[in-house]
Each structure stands twice: as C-alpha cells, then as structure tokens.
Amino acid sequence: MNDSLGPARRTSSFAAMLRELREARSLTQQELAAAAGLSVDAVSALERGRRTQPQPHTVRSLASALQLRDADRMALLSTLGRAGDGALEMPPRTLTTRPPSPPAVPVVGRDDEVAEIVAALRATPGRLVTLTGPGGVGKTTVALVAADVVAADHPGGVYFADLTDVTDPDDAVAVVARAAGSHADTVTGLAAHLAGTSALLVLDNLERVTACGPQLVELLAAAPAAVVLATSRVPLRVRREREVRIAPLGPAAAVRLFGERLAAAGAPPPAGSGDDGAVAQLCRRADGLPLAIELLAAAAARLGPRELLKRVDQLTDLPVAGPRDLPARQRTMAATIEWSCRMLGPAARRLLPRLAMVPGSFSLDTVDAIAAPDAAGAVGALAELIEHSLVTRGDDAGLVARFRLLEPVRRYALETLEPTDREQVRRGVAQWALRAAREHGARIRGRGDMTAVEQVEVDRHVLRLGFDQLVDARRHDDAAELLWSVWLPLWMTGHTHEGLAWTDRLHEDDLSEGGRARWLVARAGFNRVAADLFATAERAMRLAERIDDVSLATEAAIFASAAALRLEDFDGSGVLLARAEAHMKERLDVERDVWAAVHVPIGRGDGALLRGDRSAAARHWRGAAATAQELGSGFSVAAVLAECAQAARGEGRLDDAAVMLAVAGGLAPQRDGHRPRAHLAGVAAAVAADLGDVASAQWWEGVAESDAAPLDTDELGERFWELVRRADTVSGRD
C-alpha cells in the first residue's frame, strides 16, 4: 500500500496526481476525506482542479492519510512548485497565541448589546454566540468589549482569530488552532488541545466560511468547557448557535459618536459651533452605522458639518478616507458594502440595486413589482439580502411587514443600477402604484376603511415614484386616476402641499375629459381655500356628469358646495349638496359610497356653523358619524373634522376651528387608539397657541406626544369646550 508509483508517473498537476495516489490505494473520496479530516467537497475540489493552492496543513493531512513515502510526498509538492517549502515540513512545537486587543477607540451606545452578549456567553456550557449585522455596524468592536468583560471567566485563555482572508471552510479550523497556540488542523486535534480548559475563542469575520459552522459545533461538543464568540454578516445557521443582531446606533448615540470623532480630529464640538442640526442630519444620512459616522466625522472635521451636509448627497464617496489602522475593506463605506455584495447569489445581487430605487420602506408586494420580470425568485433573493444584513426590517404597518435598505447601502447600490434595470423598476412600480391606488381609493370611499389611509401614508414615497413614472411615460390619464384615488388619504394625513405638487405635474391639455375631471377634483380636495375653488369644483362636476361618472360627480358637487359656503352663497351650497345627495343615492343602489354619505351631512354642518348655528352644526356632524356607524364603516368623522378645523384655522376662523375640535373630541371613540387622539390634540395645541394661551397649548402638546392610555372622556371634553370659550372671548363672540 505504501509502494511508490515511481518515476514512470508523467502527471504534472496536483489534481491529477492526488487522484492517482488515492486510486492506487483503492480509497474513495469519502474515505480519504475522513482519514485526512477534510470534507468530501474539499477533496473533490482539489481533484477537479477547482482549488489549485491548498493550504500547507491540508497538504500535510492528505500526505499523512495517503501514507506517502518521501519521494511521493516531494513529487506531490513539486506539482505546486513548493517542494522546498518549509511550511510543509513538520511544524515546530510552539506557536505564539493571539489574545484579542481592546477596541482602538472608545465604544459609544453599546451597553445593552454587550450585556446581552455577556449573558448569552455565560448561559450554558459549550455555547456558540454569533454577532450579526451589516458591514460597518461595529460587530468586531462589540465582540472585543464583551470578550474583555468575560475574560476572567476563562482561565484557559481568550484567543482571537481573524478569518477575513480564509475562503475555504476546511481551512478555518487550522487558523483557529494557530490562534489558540496549536498546530492541529482537525477538529479532533484542536479539541484535544483545548481539553479541560475553559477557553474563549473570538472568531472574527466568518461570513465567507459559514460552512465551518458544523465543525465549530463538533469542536464544542468535544471540548464542552470552551466557548465561541463569532462575528459574521450572516448567521452560521447551526442549531447550537445563539444569534445576537447588532443594530445601528440610535439618534442620540450616533450624535455622541460623531462629536467624539470630531473632537479626536481636533475640530470644535457641534454644540459650541452651532452645528448641532447639521450633525444630526449627517447621522441620519449615515443611518446610525458607526463606520459611516466615523467617515462623515472625518470629512466634517476638515470641511465643517454644515458645508459637508450641503454637498453630501452629490458625493459618490467622501473626500477623506477612513483610518489607516482599519482594514482596506473598511476605509470607505463603498468598500465595506462591496465586501458584502461579493457573497451574494446572482438573484440577490440583481435585486439589491433595484430595491435602492425606493427611498423608504417597502412591502413584499412592492418587492414583486420592483423585481419584475424576475418576481418568481424575489422572495428568496430578499431573504438572502436580509440574511446578509443588506436589507433590514422597517416599522411594520399594521399586519403588513415592511423592509428597507440602510441609507449608505441604498446610495451605494443605486450607483450600480444598470439603466435598463432602472427603467424596468420604474415601469413595474408604476403598475403597482396605479393598482394599489385604485384599491386604496375604493376601500376608503366605498367602505370607509381607515387602514387604507395608513397604507397610503406608509407607501407615499413609492406611490410618488409610480406617479412620476406615469407622467414621464405620458400616461397622463393613469396619473390623474392615481392622483384622484389617493388625494383623500394624503389630505387626511396632512400632505396637502405635497399633493398640490403632484397636481402641478399634470397639465389640463394632456388629459381626457375623465382625466381632467379627476385632476380637478384632486386640486379642489387639496386646495380648499383657493380663490377659484368654486369654478374648479363646478367644472369637475359637469365633466363627471357628462362622462356619467356618478361617484366623481358626487365628490365634485360636495366640493362645489363647500366653495359656495366660503362665498356665503348658502342657498347655492344647499342646492349643490342636494345634487350630491341625489347622485349618492343613485350610486348607493349599486355600491356603497361611505365617503359621500358622510360628507353630505358634514357639509350641512359646515353651512350651519358659518351661519352661526352651532347646535345645528353639531347635530349634522353627529348624524354623519351615525351614518358611518350604520353603514358598518370605519370612516372617522372625527378625523375629517380635525382636518376641517385645521383649514378653518388657516382662514383665521379660530372660533369655528375650536367648535369643530370640541365636537370631534366627542365623536372619536376610545377604541380608535392613540393616533386620532394625538392628531386632534395637535390641532388643538396649534389653535391654543394662535389664541395666545401658552399653558393650554403646552397641555395639548403633552397629550399629543403621550403614548399613555387615553385621558378620561369627560376631562377631554371639558378641555375642548374651554378652548371654544377662549376662542369666543378672543373673537368677541358671546
């Protein structure tokens, strides 16, 4: 079995010779792998020539497993051009171990994470704790701090192994062993070296060799007193693993870190130079990533925070590189993110720059639109991006999961987006936005579904992207339909100015009669104090009636009635409301239209209020709420009155605004939660401030900002009517 193949062998490659030597000994790849302590994949890769420069310990393990004589060993080594390589000889008896060094700079804002990691390390014997998170978030720094805290728990030693340059999982054990002072290149050998010692192994940057996870589990089973603390951009996905996600810094910690790095560079502190606002905005641009904050602070130390902020969006990279004692892959954010992208599969690598088109959060439905025509694999690609910490979970909207890219990742990925992909994304988002707007508009108008209002709020930036694409593609009628579908939720969530900017992108001459009617209704909805409101709404009504769009005609008639009220044409307003009601009843024979059913009595209440009959106004508004309840709608009359109060305040009618708020306060049920109450309180605070009642304004602001349980209904009601009395006093009304 030990006979040499002799000089007759003509093979020149390592792969071919290894295969000949194995077959000459009648060994399978599985048997050779088991004898050498390697994986079958590693042996297969060597024999197929996929790995052409194996590590010295790998060659030694194979030579020992094949029981090669000196001549065959030298012949095998000569195929690598390394026959005289001393590293392939038997190693010396001692090695210098690598204890971890403390972080080079003070650590900011990581007390909670360190406490969680320390608790996990101390929880059970034989534990494996992996710190995951995006590149530049500070995983290594946090690991070193945690290792220092628990060092006294490990008299067997704390050892640090950097696996950044290791690309083969089979080489990972040997690198870890050398860091721990052992020449072992198998799990068995390293376990024997660690036997009986409570060692802590800090393994940094495992993302390229996550397949070594099972070997680490095997090591901990054989050396149960040992503990592994690993860092990786992706989890190892083994059952023994406890993953701890390292998130970006919160706003306060980010600003503190920025200030410390400015001070270290000799720049004045932000608080003393009036740069506080600029620093806070730069930290938001960095999205809390410590590396991005350090790089921005280094640039701000030279340019000044305010000057840097003016130019940061135009810079593809910062004018100052990171510290020279950082690895090259961490001296710029681009290098850090590129390092992560190299490990992605083709589908994830293609999806990432497409997702970067969206400047905020997005749902899975949006991902499908963005990924088109590759939507079939979109969920798997998204999961891979999440696992690699390039996509993170956003704030969920109700039961709908949201995702987002950290801003530095988004800006990098956007630079890599191909022009053809950019156009495909814009077309896909336009189709999604039009479909979503139709659905949301129908749910709000037809059923009074207030969850659709919230959905429009969270998807506003994506809807805007789709709207812009429709306009750019000259699909003007589709753009007008999208605009009309979402004007109501945009108005209800306070985005009036943004909505008007949308309408300004469309021109009447480019639209059909139907498109023009929708565009005019949206303009009227957003700008209820415009001088030409009546003419705008009346034109929209006549156009809608001509094309026989009953729902649109009803909406336009309600706006025309409101405009007539502002002109003190009370009779004309009543006629238009009656016309709207006739349209509404005609449509309600086929399909419910809660918006119209509720807004007719709201309009009558507005008319009563302007005539000075507050009791009649309140009666009509309560009737509107009763109608909504009778139709089984979630439509919030209180929310509408709050917006009407805001509009009245803008017209200087503070006494009318206060009455609307007081009635709205009585109509907002406790079950509606914090947001409607906070909105009412916010408008009340603004009215109180306009009235010069500072104490009351501060009280209402406290209610608006509080997350506590709702106040007693009677107390809130009394506060609202106090506001009415104060407004009456200021206006000279009895």
Side-chain angles (χ1 to χ4, degrees):
M1 200 53 93
N2 287 333
D3 292 340
S4 168
L5 295 183
R9 185 189 299 108
R10 301 179 182 275
T11 307
S12 59
S13 73
F14 181 89
M17 185 175 293
L18 177 62
R19 184 169 57 254
E20 286 183 19
L21 289 167
R22 174 180 62 76
E23 290 174 349
R25 286 153 179 75
S26 301
L27 294 174
T28 65
Q29 286 185 345
Q30 290 85 349
E31 289 169 338
L32 177 58
L38 304 173
S39 69
V40 178
D41 287 343
V43 174
S44 175
L46 288 168
E47 289 193 356
R48 284 183 291 150
R50 288 181 55 200
R51 288 184 61 193
T52 58
Q53 291 296 320
Q55 296 290 321
H57 71 84
T58 300
V59 179
R60 289 200 304 270
S61 297
L62 289 168
S64 298
L66 292 168
Q67 301 180 17
L68 298 184
R69 293 180 176 179
D70 288 345
D72 285 330
R73 182 190 295 267
M74 295 302 294
L76 183 64
L77 296 179
S78 67
T79 63
L80 300 172
R82 290 154 60 178
D85 192 340
L88 300 177
E89 304 300 325
M90 290 303 292
R93 290 182 174 273
T94 59
L95 284 175
T96 303
T97 60
R98 293 189 58 193
S101 303
V105 295
V107 180
V108 174
R110 293 304 191 189
D111 292 348
D112 291 343
E113 289 93 335
V114 170
E116 181 182 357
I117 296 163
V118 168
L121 291 171
R122 289 172 171 168
T124 55
R127 46 217 170 270
L128 166 60
V129 179
T130 306
L131 311 188
T132 61
V137 81
K139 299 181 294 294
T140 301
T141 298
V142 175
L144 293 175
V145 173
D148 187 59
V149 172
V150 300
D153 300 344
H154 299 281
V158 179
Y159 306 107
F160 180 85
D162 184 356
L163 288 94
T164 302
D165 297 325
V166 181
T167 57
D168 193 309
D170 286 314
D171 295 334
V173 171
V175 173
V176 173
R178 285 199 294 274
S182 169
H183 292 294
D185 44 29
T186 64
V187 169
T188 302
L190 179 55
H193 176 74
L194 298 175
T197 64
S198 56
L200 170 62
L201 303 175
V202 181
L203 312 184
D204 199 28
N205 297 307
L206 263 69
E207 53 265 10
R208 298 174 75 184
V209 287
T210 54
C212 75
Q215 293 173 287
L216 295 179
V217 171
E218 183 184 350
L219 172 65
L220 292 173
V227 178
V228 171
L229 174 59
T231 74
S232 175
R233 299 188 189 187
V234 293
L236 305 184
R237 288 188 292 181
V238 291
R239 285 177 292 178
R240 190 184 286 254
E241 180 181 36
R242 161 69 187 278
E243 182 183 359
V244 178
R245 297 280 297 178
I246 305 300
L249 295 173
V255 168
R256 193 162 78 251
L257 176 61
F258 198 109
E260 288 192 5
R261 302 319 302 149
L262 275 180
S273 59
D275 287 329
D276 307 64
V279 166
Q281 290 190 55
L282 287 169
C283 288
R284 282 194 290 273
R285 294 285 203 287
D287 229 335
L289 284 175
L291 177 59
I293 292 169
E294 288 207 28
L295 296 174
L296 284 170
R302 279 115 178 122
L303 304 178
R306 281 172 288 185
E307 290 302 317
L308 177 61
L309 181 62
K310 292 177 186 176
R311 295 165 174 79
V312 70
D313 287 333
Q314 285 75 48
L315 297 173
T316 56
D317 214 335
L318 294 175
V320 180
R324 290 189 177 89
D325 58 342
L326 285 175
R329 62 186 172 82
Q330 289 186 332
R331 291 181 194 166
T332 68
M333 278 307 303
T336 298
I337 298 165
E338 183 183 2
W339 177 267
S340 292
C341 292
R342 288 176 188 168
M343 291 173 276
L344 296 174
R349 198 178 302 122
R350 182 173 170 82
L351 179 61
L352 179 64
R354 291 179 167 209
L355 295 177
M357 286 281 290
V358 180
S361 68
F362 45 84
S363 65
L364 282 175
D365 284 345
T366 315
V367 173
D368 289 337
I370 290 170
D374 305 320
V379 173
L382 178 67
E384 185 177 350
L385 291 171
I386 293 171
E387 187 166 79
H388 283 76
S389 302
L390 290 166
V391 171
T392 186
R393 284 292 292 268
D395 295 329
D396 291 350
L399 300 178
V400 179
R402 308 285 299 182
F403 307 89
R404 62 185 288 265
L405 275 67
L406 295 175
E407 188 58 22
V409 175
R410 192 185 75 82
R411 290 189 60 190
Y412 167 84
L414 198 57
E415 292 290 328
T416 68
L417 184 64
E418 297 291 338
T420 54
D421 279 357
R422 185 184 298 270
E423 288 308 308
Q424 283 185 346
V425 170
R426 284 172 61 85
R427 287 194 296 270
V429 169
Q431 290 300 109
W432 174 88
L434 182 58
R435 183 178 68 252
R438 286 169 175 161
E439 292 173 356
H440 295 326
R443 285 166 56 195
I444 294 166
R445 290 177 171 86
R447 303 197 303 273
D449 187 347
M450 299 304 288
T451 61
V453 175
E454 297 179 2
Q455 199 63 50
V456 170
E457 165 73 1
V458 297
D459 276 328
R460 189 177 79 253
H461 52 288
V462 191
L463 291 167
R464 174 62 190 262
L465 188 64
F467 175 81
D468 286 343
Q469 167 61 17
L470 291 173
V471 175
D472 292 342
R474 302 191 64 77
R475 294 171 58 184
H476 298 116
D477 278 359
D478 286 339
E481 183 181 0
L482 188 156
L483 177 64
W484 171 72
S485 297
V486 300
W487 82 258
L488 177 59
L490 287 177
W491 176 75
M492 293 180 70
T493 50
H495 298 294
T496 298
H497 293 298
E498 181 177 349
L500 284 171
W502 291 28
T503 66
D504 288 343
R505 289 219 61 201
L506 291 172
H507 301 285
E508 189 171 351
D509 294 342
D510 295 327
L511 297 166
S512 67
E513 285 190 333
R516 192 177 305 141
R518 292 184 176 88
W519 176 68
L520 288 169
V521 168
R523 285 193 70 86
F526 285 127
N527 198 6
R528 301 189 184 194
V529 297
D532 63 345
L533 176 61
F534 181 79
T536 299
E538 189 182 40
R539 283 183 60 210
M541 180 182 68
R542 297 190 186 284
L543 280 170
E545 288 175 343
R546 188 154 63 231
I547 64 174
D548 197 28
D549 189 324
V550 181
S551 178
L552 195 58
T554 303
E555 207 164 310
I558 289 171
F559 283 140
S561 168
L565 282 181
R566 299 299 176 270
L567 299 172
E568 297 186 356
D569 182 1
F570 299 115
D571 292 339
S573 174
V575 170
L576 286 165
L577 276 181
R579 192 168 179 172
E581 190 168 31
H583 286 316
M584 175 193 71
K585 288 181 177 178
E586 176 186 342
R587 187 168 188 274
L588 279 175
D589 290 338
V590 181
E591 180 185 351
R592 288 180 176 176
D593 192 331
V594 173
W595 187 89
V598 168
H599 271 74
V600 167
I602 288 176
R604 290 199 170 107
D606 288 347
L609 183 65
L610 286 171
R611 289 192 299 269
D613 191 344
R614 291 179 173 179
S615 297
R619 187 167 61 252
H620 285 302
W621 292 333
R622 293 187 185 109
T627 298
Q629 186 174 7
E630 179 184 341
L631 293 175
S633 162
F635 197 88
S636 174
V637 175
V640 175
L641 288 178
E643 292 302 329
C644 291
Q646 189 73 281
R649 173 180 168 257
E651 297 171 13
R653 295 162 43 222
L654 298 180
D655 50 347
D656 288 347
V659 172
M660 291 176 181
L661 291 172
V663 176
L667 294 177
Q670 297 278 19
R671 67 174 183 274
D672 280 1
H674 169 68
R675 182 168 177 170
R677 181 198 69 187
H679 185 44
L680 282 171
V683 179
V687 171
D690 290 345
L691 293 169
D693 189 346
V694 176
S696 181
Q698 291 175 342
W699 188 88
W700 282 113
E701 286 175 358
V703 174
E705 295 171 0
S706 172
D707 292 326
L711 296 173
D712 180 79
T713 304
D714 292 339
E715 181 181 355
L716 276 175
E718 180 57 33
R719 285 279 189 169
F720 276 121
W721 287 108
E722 280 182 14
L723 192 63
V724 173
R725 290 189 287 272
R726 173 69 174 167
D728 286 347
T729 300
V730 171
S731 65
R733 180 171 179 160
D734 292 335

